Amino acid sequence: MIIANAEWEVMRVVWAKGQTTSGEILEILKQKMQWSPSTVKTLLKRLVAKGCLQAEKKGKRFIYSAKIDEKSSMDRQTDDLLNKFCQRQHPALLEHLLHTSSLTLTDIEHLQNVLTHKKKHAAAEIHCNCIPGQCRCKENMEVF
Ligand SMILES: [Zn+2]
């Protein structure tokens, strides 16, 4: 399921807090998002409808908790990002991410191990996975 950017801001608070209320979410995000209470309530309603959150009524207010896992949601967001680009652009995208990310020596060593493993199973070439007309790959040009 697609989680919109504004909804993602809310999900991050819920994951960090475990259980939270619309008031707490508003308080935490007030600097960053300048939302009104009704905006937060609308987003929460939407996330419950999508099955991302569950709402439990306690007294007069609702307590929200996550129904989806943070790590797999992060992976899904990354997959969505990669799917926006031609597979042939993925190496350039990864290079950009490496340049812009803060990495510890441990992180770098871990990534080097990943690359060493990838090297053993390297693809001879990367195939374009775009629909015709959405990229300038040679493969697509040859089809038309
Ligand atoms: Zn392509």
Side-chain angles (χ1 to χ4, degrees):
M1 122 253 326
I2 306 291
I3 300 175
N5 289 344
E7 295 166 356
W8 187 258
E9 297 291 338
V10 172
M11 287 309 296
R12 287 190 63 185
V13 176
V14 180
W15 282 318
K17 292 284 165 188
Q19 291 195 325
T20 190
T21 61
S22 65
E24 189 177 39
I25 292 166
L26 187 66
E27 183 62 27
I28 287 169
L29 293 176
K30 71 177 176 200
Q31 300 284 330
K32 194 177 181 183
M33 305 309 288
Q34 288 107 39
W35 285 335
S36 70
S38 68
T39 306
V40 175
K41 288 195 174 110
T42 303
L43 291 167
L44 285 166
K45 216 174 279 177
R46 229 181 271 163
L47 285 164
V48 170
K50 283 184 178 181
C52 300
L53 291 180
Q54 61 184 20
E56 203 188 321
K57 194 153 190 174
K58 269 198 184 148
K60 281 177 101 179
R61 26 175 236 178
F62 282 100
I63 308 289
Y64 295 92
S65 54
K67 283 181 81 179
I68 56 168
D69 168 67
E70 183 174 15
K71 176 68 173 80
S72 51
S73 302
M74 280 168 64
D75 289 345
R76 180 67 205 275
Q77 291 280 317
T78 312
D79 292 343
D80 286 347
L81 176 70
L82 287 171
N83 288 334
K84 286 181 183 166
F85 304 98
C86 175
Q87 264 187 167
R88 289 182 150 187
Q89 301 297 327
H90 288 186
L93 187 69
L94 286 170
E95 194 180 324
H96 176 76
L97 287 172
L98 286 173
H99 275 299
T100 53
S101 299
S102 290
L103 300 169
T104 65
L105 194 58
T106 310
D107 296 327
I108 292 167
E109 280 165 1
H110 176 73
L111 288 166
Q112 279 177 325
N113 286 338
V114 173
L115 283 176
T116 303
H117 179 77
K118 289 288 266 188
K119 207 170 173 180
K120 289 182 194 141
H121 310 278
E125 64 176 307
I126 304 167
H127 297 283
C128 171
N129 61 333
C130 307
I131 60 163
Q134 272 204 323
C135 86
R136 278 182 234 114
C137 286
K138 244 189 177 169
E139 289 180 7
N140 278 342
M141 312 253 288
E142 283 162 11
V143 173
F144 286 88

